[in-house]
Amino acid sequence: MFPILVDFFSHSVCVSTLWKLNSSILNNPQVKENLKSAIESYFKENDNGEVSPTIIWDAFKAVLRGKIIAHTALLKKMRRGKI
């Protein structure tokens, strides 16, 4: 029974990956405009004076990262669709 437990735990190791911004996507004017509007709407909706600026900033970084990842995934899907 013990080897099964060892085998179970050996497959549940978490692997963390680091995300790095692909700065070449910022050369696309459409991406820049989408990010600008996302930034403006984020701070308009969330900066209400009730939450500390540190929390707003940390949440903003996570939201922006998610939007960039979503957009790059869409571009990748479109590229693969052409192939």
Side-chain angles (χ1 to χ4, degrees):
M1 186 181 275
F2 183 72
I4 294 172
L5 290 176
V6 171
D7 186 44
F8 173 75
F9 288 119
S10 67
H11 293 295
S12 64
V13 175
C14 294
V15 177
S16 65
T17 58
L18 296 175
W19 178 78
K20 186 176 178 182
L21 173 65
N22 180 3
S23 60
S24 66
I25 66 164
L26 298 177
N27 293 331
N28 185 339
Q30 182 183 8
V31 172
K32 284 173 49 173
E33 286 302 316
N34 289 342
L35 291 178
K36 282 181 186 179
S37 65
I39 290 169
E40 289 173 3
S41 67
Y42 175 83
F43 283 109
K44 185 186 288 186
E45 294 171 4
N46 294 298
D47 192 12
N48 56 11
E50 296 177 7
V51 182
S52 77
T54 306
I55 293 179
I56 291 175
W57 178 249
D58 287 339
F60 165 71
K61 292 187 293 186
V63 168
L64 192 64
R65 176 182 173 201
K67 290 193 179 294
I68 292 171
I69 289 171
H71 191 74
T72 54
L74 177 66
L75 291 175
K76 184 178 180 179
K77 185 177 181 181
M78 290 171 47
R79 268 195 320 268
R80 286 192 175 180
K82 289 181 182 179
I83 296 174

